[in-house]
Amino acid sequence: MKITAVIVAGGKGTRMGADKNKVFLKIFGREVLYYTISAFEKNDKIDDIIVVTGKNDIEECQILVDKYDIKKVSYITEGGATRQESVMNGLKKAEGDVVLIHDGARALVTDDEINNSVADCIKFGAAAVGVKCKDTLKSADSDGFIAGTVDREKTFMIQTPQVFYLDKILDMHKKALDENFVATDDCMIAEHYGVKIKISDGSYDNIKLTTPEDMIIGERILRKRGITE
């Protein structure tokens, strides 16, 4: 069984206050994207990696791959106008059986999260890493007043990787494009077409590095793992 990781690494770094793609910002002297790719490069289950990024960032991605002697990256391909289009471009380059779709800015993903989600996809047909919400959640009415309390025990924050059989998720992406169905993540597309998705055990450390505060938290998590350079 061939397993491919599609890493979506577009972004302008606006919320980060950066003048470049946030995945090229550094922690302990290494790019965010380095940590993300390395997690899949070092994982025994992953056969190859496809990086999807903006047209102007393709060269810098290639420089990064060469600099760190990364072997599993088979393609660096151009993204689209939206994340959904970018994922579609990555899926078109993929070959094999199972695909993990992962945010390039989730640099703190672990072996356990990758392995658990792959195993759950193989067993149940589709999987996504997630963690239970810690906060009390409220629904609101149209005027901004609390309308009710959401059952926290049934509410999860879904992260990435999100894992599917390649032929099925590619077909669903094509259908969504034809029907102009817009989704915020790949699970939403699968849900739309009636797919049941297993929630795999995740970690609160698997954050998306989006703001300067996130970079500080990311540094602390890496330091806790013994990574300081």
Side-chain angles (χ1 to χ4, degrees), residues 152-189:
R152 187 169 60 186
E153 289 303 306
K154 296 180 180 179
T155 307
F156 286 76
M157 295 183 291
I158 296 300
Q159 306 167 339
T160 64
Q162 297 178 7
V163 192
F164 307 91
Y165 281 94
L166 174 59
D167 58 345
K168 293 181 179 179
I169 191 63
L170 181 56
D171 183 58
M172 287 184 283
H173 262 275
K174 289 176 179 176
K175 287 180 180 177
L177 182 64
D178 290 341
E179 297 171 7
N180 293 316
F181 177 73
V182 178
T184 54
D185 72 350
D186 302 285
C187 285
M188 188 173 173
I189 291 177

Side-chain angles (χ1 to χ4, degrees), residues 27-67:
I27 302 177
F28 299 130
R30 296 193 175 192
E31 298 83 356
V32 166
L33 186 57
Y34 159 78
Y35 292 107
T36 306
I37 293 176
S38 289
F40 294 92
E41 172 83 4
K42 295 172 183 176
N43 186 282
D44 292 339
K45 293 186 183 299
I46 304 302
D47 295 298
D48 72 328
I49 300 167
I50 295 166
V51 179
V52 187
T53 192
K55 181 178 181 179
N56 295 332
D57 292 328
I58 290 175
E59 183 178 355
E60 191 162 358
C61 280
Q62 187 62 60
I63 290 171
L64 182 149
V65 167
D66 294 340
K67 178 169 70 172

Side-chain angles (χ1 to χ4, degrees), residues 113 116-121 126-131 156 198-203:
E113 287 145 17
N116 289 342
S117 58
V118 168
D120 282 342
C121 175
V129 171
V131 291
F156 286 76
K198 177 67 174 176
I199 300 174
S200 298
D201 290 337
S203 164

Side-chain angles (χ1 to χ4, degrees), residues 7-10 22-23 32-33 36-37 102-107 160 208:
I7 298 176
V8 187
K22 63 192 172 189
V23 299
V32 166
L33 186 57
T36 306
I37 293 176
H102 188 70
D103 296 323
R106 288 193 191 272
T160 64
K208 194 173 182 180

Side-chain angles (χ1 to χ4, degrees), residues 204-228:
Y204 293 100
D205 285 353
N206 186 22
I207 63 171
K208 194 173 182 180
L209 302 175
T210 303
T211 67
E213 293 76 18
D214 294 333
M215 296 292 281
I216 295 170
I217 295 169
E219 182 177 316
R220 289 173 183 166
I221 292 169
L222 287 173
R223 194 183 296 276
K224 182 175 68 176
R225 294 177 183 177
I227 300 171
T228 57

Side-chain angles (χ1 to χ4, degrees), residues 89-120:
N89 289 354
L91 293 175
K92 287 178 179 177
K93 293 289 187 183
E95 298 175 352
D97 305 290
V98 171
V99 61
L100 299 89
I101 303 166
H102 188 70
D103 296 323
R106 288 193 191 272
L108 304 166
V109 65
T110 65
D111 253 1
D112 282 346
E113 287 145 17
I114 294 169
N115 293 339
N116 289 342
S117 58
V118 168
D120 282 342

